[in-house]
Amino acid sequence: MTGSSLAVPNPIRLDETDRFILHELIEDARIPNNILASRAGIAPSTCLNRVGALRRAGVIKGFHAEVDLEAMGLIVIALISVRVSQQARNRMLEIAQKLRSMPGVQSVFLLAGDRDFLVHVACRTPQELRNFIADHLGSDPAIASTQTNLVFDHLTPGG
């Protein structure tokens, strides 16, 4: 789910070649089209057309730089589980948008279960994390409770 509303399943039918292209782009979004086409076993023009169609259909949402947070001085990474108060449950998307715009927030996940959101935060120091929680979460009456988990390492596929 991305954006400001709930995601609707995409009606596009992906064939094996589309899935292969997507897998390759997930592994390396900067792969040159001619190499991608060669790996997929299709002509470069066909590959370019397929990638374009996948973008127009919203299957490919964008190409992003993966940034080393530690290199930016953001060495304290946390995942904060958030439960929204009963009185604020009708404002879930508004609260999610507010959380997403807070300093240090990398992403916000809306959850099913006993917690409503999972907030991925990157900070420079433990004190900055403590202040983030106190200033932005603890002082908000819409937030019933939080649980913070420090991230020691993040392993990704192929990484």
Side-chain angles (χ1 to χ4, degrees):
M1 172 167 43
T2 60
S4 61
S5 61
L6 295 176
V8 176
N10 196 312
I12 189 169
R13 289 184 172 251
L14 302 176
D15 65 15
E16 200 167 314
T17 302
D18 291 326
R19 284 191 282 283
F20 181 85
I21 289 170
L22 292 168
H23 173 73
E24 291 294 310
L25 289 172
I26 289 168
E27 290 296 315
D28 180 6
R30 295 176 52 132
I31 186 172
N33 183 64
N34 61 333
I35 294 173
L36 179 58
S38 175
R39 289 183 185 172
I42 58 178
S45 60
T46 302
C47 186
L48 197 58
N49 287 336
R50 281 183 178 250
V51 170
L54 291 167
R55 289 187 74 186
R56 285 188 300 280
V59 176
I60 297 174
K61 297 189 177 296
F63 298 92
H64 310 280
E66 183 177 343
V67 177
D68 182 345
L69 296 174
E70 192 173 319
M72 296 175 54
L74 301 171
I75 60 171
V76 179
I77 310 299
L79 297 173
I80 305 170
S81 300
V82 176
R83 186 175 318 139
V84 173
S85 69
Q86 200 61 23
Q87 300 82 356
R89 298 201 76 66
N90 62 336
R91 300 183 309 131
M92 296 287 279
L93 289 177
E94 174 189 330
I95 295 165
Q97 293 292 352
K98 180 180 174 186
L99 288 169
R100 189 176 74 168
S101 69
M102 291 178 180
V105 172
Q106 304 300 303
S107 53
V108 176
F109 300 92
L110 281 74
L111 306 174
D114 67 336
R115 298 293 173 149
D116 298 304
F117 304 114
L118 185 62
V119 184
H120 174 204
V121 180
C123 301
R124 288 185 287 276
T125 65
Q127 294 78 17
E128 188 176 297
L129 175 60
R130 181 195 62 217
N131 292 343
F132 173 87
I133 294 166
D135 296 346
H136 297 292
L137 302 177
S139 64
D140 187 338
I143 307 292
S145 65
T146 64
Q147 179 179 354
T148 303
N149 294 285
L150 291 178
V151 175
F152 293 131
D153 204 351
H154 178 206
L155 307 176
T156 58

